[in-house]
Amino acid sequence: MDFAKKFFLAGLGAVGLVREKAEQLVNEMIEKGEIGQGEARELVEELVKKGEKQKVEIQKFINQEVEHLVREIPLVRKKDLEMVTEELEAVKAKLADLEERLAKERE
């Protein structure tokens, strides 16, 4: 899952660049006289909204893929391992108690 987490964070970083890149693109268009200041703000906001929508879609896709991998790959989840460890410790304690009683009975 470490890879998935890194991939997810890289995706978020890329989406975070959307506003910066959008503003850069729009500034270039203003300099070339292709659009005016008013249009520029609207265009930046439109590009940012599209970027945010894509960010949500990417997050959803990654979450689905990670969940699929977790279900399909024979991995043990930390909470499941902790639960089994606790149960094993309880069994070991009971066994030690029984061994102690048996030793006393033999005396």
Side-chain angles (χ1 to χ4, degrees), residues 29-85:
M29 292 174 77
I30 291 171
E31 288 174 12
K32 292 178 183 177
E34 295 174 358
I35 60 172
Q37 289 286 350
E39 293 173 303
R41 270 189 229 113
E42 291 176 18
L43 184 56
V44 168
E45 289 307 315
E46 183 181 332
L47 291 171
V48 169
K49 284 180 186 177
K50 286 182 181 180
E52 288 297 320
K53 183 178 177 185
Q54 288 176 343
K55 173 184 165 184
V56 170
E57 291 171 2
I58 290 169
Q59 287 172 329
K60 184 178 177 182
F61 173 77
I62 291 172
N63 287 339
Q64 289 172 343
E65 289 302 307
V66 169
E67 284 299 318
H68 173 74
L69 288 173
V70 167
R71 283 191 308 271
E72 296 297 318
I73 297 175
L75 298 174
V76 177
R77 295 181 189 191
K78 183 178 179 181
K79 67 180 182 178
D80 294 334
L81 182 59
E82 289 171 349
M83 183 179 72
V84 169
T85 301

